[in-house]
Amino acid sequence: MLWLFLILPVISVTSRSFKVYDKPTPTAISDRLIELVTQGAFRGVTYYRLAALADTIGPRLCGNESLTQAVDWVRNVMISEGLENVHVEQVEIPHWIRGEERARLIQPRYAKLSMLGLGNSVGTGPNGIQAPVLVVRSFDELTERCAEARNKIVVFNPQCDWISEPLACYGPVVAYRSGGASHAAKCGALASLSRSAASHSIDSPHTGMMTYDPAYPKIPAASLSVEHADMLDRFQQRNQSIEIYLYMEAQTLPNVIGYNLVAEIKGSSLPNETVLVSGHLDSWDVGQGAMDDGGGAMISWTVLSLLHSLNIRAKRTIRCVLWSCEEFGGIGADQYFTAHENEVPSMSIVMESDLGVFHPYGLQFKGTNESQKIIQTISQQLRSINATQVVPNGEGTDIGPWLERGVPGASLFNDNRNYFAYHHSKGDTVNVLNSTDIDLAAAVWAVYAYAIADLDNLLPR
């Protein structure tokens, strides 16, 4: 089994541990957590775990055996280090496979196009699709030119100022990735290609999930690199004939069984009340899934490892959940919520790190004004690493159902200006992260998780 090659060195901090019955002040505990992960025995451990996962198991597509291998490895190491209540919770997840794929420019010249099929897409059939091309920059333009799209491959090339507002661009551009195929099919198109949702590109296509409107035929859907989408746009502006050959073996197989992975540090006096920290263990099948979201999963695991090493328990239980199949719409998390909905009244906060583990600034938080004041107070315990900022929008796909029921939410606020340069692409590797920033991110995550879990009361709603 692959995880046998990933056994970590034993971390021992016994001589510096606290006894549960002799617990120091919250600030002292925060200082010790920060010291342990940034200067002490856990320095570099989170990065080590992430690199071992990403290098040895690699990408972890929903429904793929590699995701199950990742769950098994993390679970075994969690058990070996002595974490509590380590277990998996079964979920039913989709099983889409990419297969072989390629796109070629036939006219006005012959060239290979950089493309990636989109998750949930159908294939082209064994003969592929060769057709002329219509390039549009918006759904409105497609509506105006709908008659021209019949029996063509529609290319969506939306424009956005990624340099100034990368996070603001993502949603509007992704709309063409997720819904472009059905809009094109409505006009009689044969396939849909969309500009990658990327803030920077070196001819690197970015994949992601798409969905079909059942009112229209399912046609193949893929992303193109920014450079090639713009090139096709320029061909059209010069009134040059464009023709593309597209071949995709993509298909959706029957659903399979997957697993959310859970571990805990039980609360000392209020064990039935919970603080949840999380990240998703699945990834796309390109790159290594290191940034999205191996890093978020690893810092959530590290929260429990640090507390266990220091022999410290908060009043409430701190639970780590590593989600399955976030990339296909939070599938595992939705089923987890259904199974645990009765915990809504006792859940103090749900935290998900899924926007990178670059240099941390603090916390993104979603909750009432009263709760925000408490979070602001806790933030001062992070002054030593200059991560005291508290900003809005503490959301995430996997914690969404809890937020809809009024549970406060949080995500890591970090310097992720380059996140969408690597997101869902072959560039999402361990190389885009560094050990020091990951340690600091783990410190932020651990301090907030412990401090909130040790409050006298649940966060107000």
Side-chain angles (χ1 to χ4, degrees), residues 82-123:
L83 299 185
E84 301 165 17
N85 196 25
V86 180
H87 67 280
V88 295
E89 299 189 15
Q90 184 173 299
V91 290
E92 184 178 351
I93 57 177
H95 187 195
W96 177 84
I97 58 174
R98 179 178 303 281
E100 295 295 322
E101 58 184 17
R102 56 187 176 273
R104 294 174 182 158
L105 180 66
I106 306 300
Q107 292 289 343
R109 65 180 174 89
Y110 187 85
K112 179 182 177 181
L113 296 175
S114 299
M115 60 81 73
L116 281 172
L118 299 177
N120 286 330
S121 176
V122 297

Side-chain angles (χ1 to χ4, degrees), residues 333-344:
D334 285 348
Q335 293 176 52
Y336 181 89
F337 179 77
T338 298
H340 293 266
E341 190 173 1
N342 64 308
E343 294 187 63
V344 166

Side-chain angles (χ1 to χ4, degrees), residues 142-209:
L142 176 62
T143 299
E144 293 172 2
R145 307 181 67 178
C146 189
E148 298 178 58
R150 179 165 298 278
N151 294 324
K152 291 183 179 179
I153 295 173
V154 170
V155 174
F156 292 97
N157 190 32
Q159 304 296 301
C160 192
D161 184 7
W162 284 93
I163 302 300
S164 300
E165 294 289 342
L167 292 175
C169 281
Y170 184 69
V173 172
V174 161
Y176 296 92
R177 182 192 81 195
S178 59
S182 290
H183 279 80
K186 182 180 180 181
C187 294
L190 302 177
S192 170
L193 301 177
S194 56
R195 177 193 182 102
S196 287
S199 60
H200 179 74
S201 178
I202 49 172
D203 196 24
S204 51
H206 295 230
T207 188
M209 188 186 75

Side-chain angles (χ1 to χ4, degrees), residues 19 40 92 152 158 178 181 185 211 215 228 259 268 320 325 342 351 355 371 374 391 410 413 422 428:
K19 296 179 180 179
E92 184 178 351
K152 291 183 179 179
S178 59
T211 58
H228 283 165
Y259 306 94
S268 60
C320 170
C325 213
N342 64 308
M351 301 165 59
L355 281 172
S371 290
I374 295 170
V391 299
F413 182 38
Y422 313 113
D428 182 359

Side-chain angles (χ1 to χ4, degrees), residues 222-260:
S223 63
L224 289 173
S225 69
V226 169
E227 291 86 345
H228 283 165
D230 281 343
M231 179 180 70
L232 297 175
D233 200 334
R234 292 193 299 271
F235 283 147
Q236 182 168 285
Q237 291 173 32
R238 292 191 292 261
N239 294 316
Q240 293 175 276
S241 296
I242 315 169
E243 192 170 323
I244 285 176
Y245 172 76
L246 178 67
Y247 176 78
M248 295 171 59
E249 294 180 353
Q251 59 178 311
T252 299
L253 302 177
N255 288 353
V256 297
I257 297 302
Y259 306 94
N260 293 321

Side-chain angles (χ1 to χ4, degrees), residues 3 31 44 59-60 67 75 77 100 137 141 168 210 234 270 297 303 314 355 402:
W3 64 79
D31 289 344
R60 305 163 299 281
L67 178 55
R75 178 181 60 182
V77 181
E100 295 295 322
R137 293 192 173 188
E141 183 181 355
M210 56 82 61
R234 292 193 299 271
L270 297 167
V303 170
L355 281 172
W402 300 90

